[in-house]
Amino acid sequence: MRDQLISLLQMPQKTIFNRKIAKKQFHEQGELTAAEKELFTTEIESIYLLSICKQDTLNVPKFVNNDRRYEEIYWLLVSFKSMKRFERMINIFHKVMPNPIVVLATDDNENISVSTAHKRLNQNDETKVVVENVINSPWIHLSDESVAIQRFIERLHFINLSYSNLYDFYDSVISAVRMSSLIEQIQKYPQKGVLSDELIPLMDSLDNTIKNINQLQVLQKEQLEFGEKMELHMKIKKFEQEEKQVLKRIKELC
């Protein structure tokens, strides 16, 4: 699995580390509770550091300002024993590691989920970071030959990522993972030439529209007055029309 991922993602030789990391290193790295430390034993089979991307291994400039410090990006392969606390464990990994990380999570059936999260410096303590929105891809199998999944994997090829600086490099990984939600929503993934800057705002708009529809439907069920029910019904229909229009545009881009 390790060699397959390194080859599949076309990781440059200089970035390859490919060594096992002891679980206890994560215990020492972060301020974990006793329960969180226990999860590393019960939920995690193994952890490998596949790749370290930095200025002198990737030939990409570091990115440092008052809010962010992107000097090294770690690619981890994490084998899970169980999926019961998957999201919690993923969040712990992002919390523990001060550097931005890409977590390639795998289960017993060798399915893969990719996890990313931007980080910014804690303004009250520069030795700590604040984890922003954690984004997880759907579970996929590397041998799946469907067009959507092959396009997703291709988007993650190192050669297809941004090389402006390490922040943009990592942001292009995040964009690839963010767009992967379309694999579950519409069984499609955008073509290589489609810009994430064009597609992701549409995806955000679609998510907000669906959220509004769900909220209004809850209110409609709770409403007893007929007039109010009808007013909510009309608002729902308006949002549903918007949903269709945005979804049509997204499909055109895929």
Side-chain angles (χ1 to χ4, degrees):
M1 173 66 78
R2 284 180 286 137
D3 291 339
Q4 182 184 8
L5 282 168
I6 288 170
S7 175
L8 188 63
L9 298 179
Q10 301 177 7
M11 293 178 174
Q13 186 62 39
K14 285 186 177 181
T15 72
I16 297 170
F17 196 73
N18 198 13
R19 294 183 190 173
K20 191 171 186 178
I21 306 298
K23 299 175 190 178
K24 66 179 182 180
Q25 287 189 234
F26 290 86
H27 296 178
E28 299 163 356
Q29 180 92 16
E31 299 175 356
L32 300 182
T33 65
E36 288 174 332
K37 291 179 180 179
E38 179 64 22
L39 286 175
F40 273 89
T41 301
T42 60
E43 304 297 314
I44 303 300
E45 182 66 41
S46 63
I47 306 166
Y48 281 86
L49 176 54
L50 294 186
S51 174
I52 301 175
C53 297
K54 54 185 179 178
Q55 187 166 309
D56 59 353
T57 63
L58 195 61
N59 196 28
V60 176
K62 64 184 179 181
F63 180 87
V64 178
N65 63 15
N66 292 332
D67 295 318
R68 302 184 191 275
R69 185 174 291 130
Y70 282 61
E71 297 176 291
E72 293 186 346
I73 296 169
Y74 298 153
W75 292 68
L76 302 176
L77 175 61
V78 181
S79 299
F80 280 75
K81 294 179 183 178
S82 164
M83 294 294 108
K84 292 179 181 178
R85 299 175 181 85
F86 171 73
E87 289 191 8
R88 185 179 179 189
M89 282 305 306
I90 285 292
N91 291 338
I92 291 173
F93 273 104
H94 287 293
K95 180 181 76 170
V96 167
M97 302 289 286
N99 297 87
I101 62 173
V102 181
V103 181
L104 304 169
T106 182
D107 63 10
D108 289 341
N109 297 316
E110 295 191 343
N111 294 304
I112 292 284
S113 176
V114 186
S115 179
T116 56
H118 270 308
K119 295 176 182 178
R120 65 180 188 273
L121 298 175
N122 187 323
Q123 296 303 315
N124 297 321
D125 184 350
E126 289 191 0
T127 65
K128 298 180 180 180
V129 295
V130 177
V131 179
E132 296 180 354
N133 188 34
V134 175
I135 303 174
N136 302 322
S137 80
W139 287 93
I140 65 170
H141 201 283
L142 298 180
S143 63
D144 191 322
E145 296 183 355
S146 67
V147 173
I149 289 177
Q150 289 304 310
R151 283 181 179 175
F152 173 43
I153 295 171
E154 181 182 7
R155 183 78 69 143
L156 288 173
H157 289 178
F158 271 50
I159 195 172
N160 292 328
L161 301 174
S162 173
Y163 279 62
S164 300
N165 56 59
L166 284 175
Y167 176 86
D168 288 342
F169 176 87
Y170 189 76
D171 195 58
S172 61
V173 179
I174 284 187
S175 295
V177 176
R178 173 70 179 91
M179 292 186 293
S180 70
S181 65
L182 293 173
I183 296 173
E184 288 185 329
Q185 286 180 299
I186 61 173
Q187 292 74 54
K188 290 187 177 183
Y189 192 87
Q191 302 176 51
K192 184 178 178 180
V194 175
L195 298 176
S196 59
D197 289 348
E198 182 178 7
L199 186 57
I200 289 178
L202 289 170
M203 294 175 62
D204 291 340
S205 175
L206 179 64
D207 289 346
N208 288 331
T209 300
I210 292 172
K211 181 180 178 180
N212 287 331
I213 291 172
N214 292 336
Q215 289 175 341
L216 288 171
Q217 287 175 336
V218 171
L219 290 174
Q220 188 184 39
K221 289 180 180 179
E222 295 173 348
Q223 186 57 246
L224 298 177
E225 187 178 338
F226 179 76
E228 291 292 337
K229 275 185 174 292
M230 286 302 300
E231 185 177 345
L232 290 169
H233 175 75
M234 295 304 295
K235 289 181 179 179
I236 291 170
K237 288 299 181 183
K238 181 181 178 181
F239 277 119
E240 286 178 342
Q241 188 60 35
E242 290 180 12
E243 178 188 4
K244 288 180 182 179
Q245 292 173 351
V246 175
L247 197 55
K248 179 182 177 182
R249 180 56 183 150
I250 289 174
K251 288 180 178 180
E252 288 173 351
L253 293 172
C254 293

